[in-house]
């Protein structure tokens, strides 16, 4: 199984299925699914390295007031993830660790934040805006890899060593201190607004799929609704 799907995928499967007081029914499809999760991390990391690999994390300090709504939201979600993972590890709830990391990395980081960060990363006119986004995206990915490292040690170590780090960082992820969550970055209003934007975007995507509108097209929302009437 490990030869076919990889050691990290197998380890993550065991963690995800490790519910206290229950027997584990090990299904090959689950291992295959978590191999896809490892591939998702690789692809996201390649994107980050392509667009933020030249970032110097120690060049400037990012002030919370200068961050975009998406930047503040993802860092707030990362802070919450750190607390959730820490608490779950202390309680030996390894399935909760796996679930929280999977949901954050696959959905919040990859599905939403990376897409929202693209306009800032692709443009060249506002260097300060691009640098802020680069710093946020590198920090978030690096910290997520640190939290995931006990469960997926090989893929996380390989990627982490390729990311830019602040001066003083070691050469090996396995020797780095456990990440500690700072104070909350965004406000309740920011969090509510971001959730609304995510829900609206999800609804529009679903409507485009139902109405046969190609995802790459960007029709006005009124046109999508008109086609339904």
């Amino acid at each position: 199984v490990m030869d076919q799907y990889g050691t990290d995928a197998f380890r993550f499967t065991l963690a995800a299925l490790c519910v206290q007081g229950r027997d584990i029914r090990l299904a090959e499809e689950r291992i295959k699914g978590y191999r896809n999760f490892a591939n998702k991390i690789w692809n996201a990391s390649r994107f980050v390295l392509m667009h933020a690999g030249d970032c110097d994390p120690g060049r400037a300090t990012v002030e919370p007031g200068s961050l975009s709504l998406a930047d503040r939201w993802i860092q707030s979600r990362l802070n919450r993830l750190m607390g959730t993972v820490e608490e779950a590890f202390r309680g030996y709830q390894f399935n909760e660790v796996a679930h929280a990391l999977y949901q954050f990395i696959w959905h919040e980081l990859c599905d939403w934040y990376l897409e929202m960060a693209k306009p800032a990363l692709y443009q060249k006119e506002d260097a300060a805006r691009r640098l802020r986004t680069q710093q946020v995206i590198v920090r978030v990915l690096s910290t997520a890899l640190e939290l995931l490292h006990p469960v997926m040690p090989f893929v996380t170590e390989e990627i982490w060593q390729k990311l830019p780090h602040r001066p003083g960082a070691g050469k090996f992820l396995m020797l780095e201190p456990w990440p500690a969550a700072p104070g909350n970055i965004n406000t309740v209003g920011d969090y509510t607004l971001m959730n609304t934007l995510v829900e609206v975007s999800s609804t529009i995507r679903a409507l485009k799929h139902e109405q046969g509108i190609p995802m790459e097209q960007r029709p006005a929302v009124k046109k999508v609704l008109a086609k339904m009437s």
Side-chain angles (χ1 to χ4, degrees):
V1 172
M2 286 188 288
D3 290 339
Q4 184 176 1
Y5 299 112
T7 302
D8 277 343
F10 186 60
R11 285 171 60 97
F12 196 92
T13 304
L14 294 179
L17 298 178
C18 185
V19 181
Q20 296 185 23
R22 291 178 54 186
D23 294 332
I24 296 177
R25 182 180 178 182
L26 190 59
E28 188 171 335
E29 284 300 314
R30 294 292 295 271
I31 306 173
K32 181 179 180 181
Y34 292 130
R35 180 195 62 184
N36 295 339
F37 177 52
N39 291 337
K40 185 83 169 181
I41 298 171
W42 274 112
N43 292 333
S45 301
R46 278 196 289 266
F47 173 83
V48 173
L49 288 169
M50 183 182 301
H51 296 285
D54 59 343
C55 168
D56 181 2
R59 175 181 167 189
T61 301
V62 175
E63 296 295 334
S66 67
L67 298 175
S68 68
L69 172 63
D71 293 335
R72 296 196 303 271
W73 173 76
I74 195 63
Q75 291 196 96
S76 176
R77 300 302 296 169
L78 178 66
N79 290 349
R80 180 175 179 179
L81 175 70
M82 284 190 269
T84 299
V85 170
E86 174 76 18
E87 182 179 355
F89 267 131
R90 290 185 181 276
Y92 299 98
Q93 296 175 320
F94 302 116
N95 61 309
E96 294 295 331
V97 171
H99 175 75
L101 288 166
Y102 184 93
Q103 290 297 318
F104 175 83
I105 294 174
W106 190 297
H107 298 295
E108 294 178 333
L109 177 57
C110 295
D111 286 353
W112 292 106
Y113 179 69
L114 292 187
E115 293 299 320
M116 294 178 180
K118 285 179 180 179
L121 294 175
Y122 290 166
Q123 60 83 34
K124 303 294 184 181
E125 295 78 16
D126 190 342
R129 177 191 176 197
R130 186 168 187 268
L131 175 60
R132 287 194 297 269
T133 302
Q134 286 178 319
Q135 290 180 323
V136 170
I137 204 170
V138 167
R139 175 184 177 270
V140 170
L141 176 59
S142 179
T143 305
L145 293 175
E146 292 167 6
L147 296 171
L148 182 61
H149 184 63
V151 188
M152 281 187 161
F154 300 105
V155 65
T156 53
E157 183 72 63
E158 180 73 17
I159 297 171
W160 187 89
Q161 291 187 20
K162 290 180 170 59
L163 291 174
H165 299 288
R166 289 184 176 276
K171 295 182 179 180
F172 300 99
L173 171 54
M174 65 180 297
L175 299 179
E176 287 296 293
W178 186 250
N184 195 6
I185 290 178
N186 69 356
T187 64
V188 175
D190 287 336
Y191 180 75
T192 302
L193 176 58
M194 190 65 194
N195 280 349
T196 301
L197 292 175
V198 169
E199 291 176 4
V200 170
S201 298
S202 299
T203 302
I204 293 174
R205 288 180 181 178
L207 291 174
K208 289 172 71 175
H209 177 74
E210 291 175 3
Q211 300 302 315
I213 300 174
M215 288 297 170
E216 62 272 14
Q217 290 187 12
R218 298 183 178 182
V221 176
K222 291 189 295 184
K223 294 181 179 180
V224 178
L225 296 177
K227 191 172 181 179
M228 296 180 59
S229 59

